Amino acid sequence: MHTSLRPLLDTVLDALEEGTRLRSGPLPAGGPTEVAVRLRAAVGDVLPDEGDPEALRHLVRALAEGAADPADPLCTAHLHCPPLAVAAAADLAVSILNPSMDSWDQAPAASELESLVTRALAEEVYADAFRGAGNCATSPHRPDALITTGGTESNQLALLLARETQGPGVRLICGENAHHSLPRAAWLLGLPEPVIVPTPNGTLDPAALDEALHGPSVIAATAGTTDAGLIDPLPDIAALCAQRGARLHIDAAYGGGLLFSTRHRAKLTGLSVADTVTLDLHKLGWQPVAAGLLAVRDDNDLAALNHRADYLNADDDTEAGLPDLLGRSLRTTRRPDVLKIAVTLKSLGREGLAALVDQVCSTAQEFAALVDRHPGFELHAPPTISTVLFRPVGATDDAVAAVRRQLLTDGRAVLGRARAANRLWLKATLLNPTTRPAHLTALLHLVEGTTPR
């Protein structure tokens, strides 16, 4: 395998470089129709009678040419990070070894690695709750975490655990600012119709939340909203949950990476009292997709996921000491995504990860200041994490939308869109640690040159 793989890796790397050169920007030019035409021409017959020995080179080059490149400083639309090379290399090792995390005999070392890493990350999330109370391992409420495909799966699991611990009548209460996966998960799980609390200022108001609380409830707060990167008032919400006996879930898919930073960690004060916490390390963790986690304050809650399938975790095998992996996910076959996470944590350490987090947050502050000083642009608000909302002064919402689409069609810049204060804004989510002031200036010039006069 290793001997045959080495020349193929050279082919892939060459094809990636070639495709990037052909694209010559953060996005392929021409819009959906032209991109589809070029891709179809490159692929040709999907299943030919005779195989094509150049298929790897051709298809990787075509995919790279037609990619949205998160490593380009002008690709800033989404929570879409450039993955670390060391994490991508670890992901390759997983593809070659191909363990499956549904039984120990398919993933002996990977199952132990997952146990070590998930415990460590769970204790990082809940460190404040157990500080001063001795080692987490001696507590009756030991934290743990599950590896997931991302925020959507983590949020679904959080509501499932709420239903199993609180009863089928538990109602989700969340803000309008919450991720769409939360009300969707409530629908999927057959929970009562969620209560959606208005968030006119972008974050949950504890007083409005208090008024909405009736009966068994799970409150979902957000640490890093998708639109503006805002953080709900977590300490006040946690106090309300304790007072009213409500379960608390915090969706920190975006903001959870602030835990690694001494400078920014305090923004997550209150996180450690949540019953469950969603994290995505393919955002502020620079991992290849997928690298999600669901942390739980009390590992006893995970008993709800226990399941038996004789060919995977027979009782006598478990009693004989073979680890039971089936209760670690609702998925059966799943990759050991933990390897790339483990390699990143070990390679960079807390200081290295903190430096990346601090860099992108600082870049967002720089961009916000640049927008604020520019007479042709309006800044929505100073960034909380690394998202900046801005718009050309005097532009209509239709014009703002048109600017974004024109830049996408030209392939010159990738900006997102968000609605706040009843207006449409351009959104720059800065997750690239290599972005420099010259890139930010260039981005503003592109928007300025595309705005209708």
Side-chain angles (χ1 to χ4, degrees):
M1 165 68 88
H2 300 162
T3 304
S4 58
L5 186 63
R6 198 171 300 278
L8 295 177
L9 292 181
D10 289 337
T11 298
V12 167
L13 293 174
D14 289 345
L16 287 170
E17 287 185 9
E18 208 174 326
T20 301
R21 214 164 36 242
L22 289 168
R23 187 183 64 245
S24 71
L27 200 73
T33 301
E34 289 190 27
V35 171
V37 167
R38 289 197 295 270
L39 191 280
R40 288 172 185 169
V43 172
D45 188 354
V46 172
L47 184 60
D49 290 333
E50 295 184 11
D52 178 3
E54 291 296 309
L56 179 64
R57 178 182 298 277
H58 292 159
L59 293 187
V60 171
R61 180 177 60 199
L63 198 66
E65 182 185 359
D69 184 4
D72 190 301
L74 300 185
C75 188
T76 66
H78 301 287
L79 288 162
H80 184 195
C81 70
L84 293 164
V86 71
D91 219 24
L92 171 63
V94 163
S95 294
I96 295 166
L97 294 169
N98 208 28
S100 181
M101 300 296 294
D102 49 325
S103 65
W104 181 87
D105 57 348
Q106 297 176 83
S111 63
E112 181 63 18
L113 182 63
E114 182 174 276
S115 177
L116 289 171
V117 172
T118 51
R119 288 283 186 186
L121 288 173
E123 291 180 6
E124 188 71 24
V125 171
Y126 290 105
D128 292 344
F130 291 92
R131 189 173 285 123
N135 193 303
C136 289
T138 65
S139 168
H141 304 290
R142 187 180 182 188
D144 199 356
L146 304 177
I147 301 285
T148 71
T149 53
T152 295
E153 184 186 354
S154 294
N155 287 340
Q156 288 175 350
L157 281 170
L159 292 198
L160 173 61
L161 296 181
R163 187 189 72 181
E164 296 305 296
T165 56
Q166 307 292 104
V170 66
R171 188 183 298 273
L172 168 67
I173 303 177
C174 63
E176 282 181 331
N177 63 344
H179 194 265
H180 64 84
S181 63
L182 282 159
R184 199 175 190 195
W187 161 76
L188 181 68
L189 292 166
L191 299 181
E193 187 71 18
V195 175
I196 310 296
V197 179
T199 53
N201 297 317
T203 56
L204 266 173
D205 175 13
L209 200 55
D210 191 17
E211 290 181 13
L213 262 172
H214 300 286
S217 303
V218 53
I219 291 176
T222 305
T225 58
T226 305
D227 277 350
L230 302 178
I231 298 175
D232 286 335
L234 304 182
D236 294 340
I237 293 171
L240 176 63
C241 288
Q243 178 187 347
R244 299 289 299 274
R247 188 175 174 91
L248 175 60
H249 170 64
I250 297 178
D251 180 358
Y254 178 11
L258 299 178
L259 285 170
F260 300 121
S261 167
T262 303
R263 187 183 304 172
H264 295 285
R265 185 185 179 104
K267 294 176 182 177
L268 298 180
T269 299
L271 190 77
S272 62
V273 299
D275 296 283
T276 49
V277 176
T278 288
L279 300 171
D280 271 5
L281 294 179
H282 51 244
K283 295 182 172 68
L284 278 184
W286 295 277
Q287 298 299 290
V289 174
L293 293 105
L294 177 71
V296 296
R297 193 169 189 271
D298 183 352
D299 61 359
N300 292 321
D301 287 356
L302 296 180
L305 302 179
N306 288 345
H307 188 67
R308 279 281 176 266
D310 195 61
Y311 75 105
L312 294 174
N313 61 347
D315 287 338
D316 58 320
D317 277 349
T318 303
E319 290 166 7
L322 294 183
D324 177 1
L325 305 185
L326 207 53
R328 303 291 299 174
S329 177
L330 291 180
R331 294 173 285 149
T332 303
T333 302
R334 58 187 181 92
R335 303 174 82 242
D337 288 312
V338 69
L339 178 62
K340 61 195 175 194
I341 298 172
V343 167
T344 299
L345 297 176
K346 190 77 172 172
S347 297
L348 274 69
R350 191 184 303 278
E351 289 184 1
L353 284 166
L356 294 178
V357 171
D358 293 347
Q359 178 61 50
V360 296
C361 290
S362 176
T363 300
Q365 295 288 344
E366 288 180 31
F367 187 52
L370 188 65
V371 169
D372 204 31
R373 290 195 303 267
H374 197 298
F377 289 99
E378 180 182 354
L379 176 70
H380 175 252
T384 301
I385 306 177
S386 68
T387 298
V388 179
L389 301 186
F390 68 105
R391 54 181 282 141
V393 169
T396 65
D397 283 0
D398 287 345
V400 171
V403 166
R404 173 180 175 271
R405 286 193 294 269
Q406 187 61 57
L407 290 171
L408 294 179
T409 301
D410 295 342
R412 293 186 294 168
V414 190
L415 284 164
R417 55 185 286 164
R419 188 160 290 279
N422 297 315
R423 291 193 293 168
L424 187 66
W425 300 80
L426 295 171
K427 177 175 72 169
T429 307
L430 300 159
L431 291 183
N432 189 337
T434 67
T435 299
R436 295 294 175 259
H439 299 129
L440 303 175
T441 301
L443 182 58
L444 275 189
H445 284 164
L446 284 173
V447 174
E448 191 175 23
T450 312
T451 303
R453 300 299 177 193

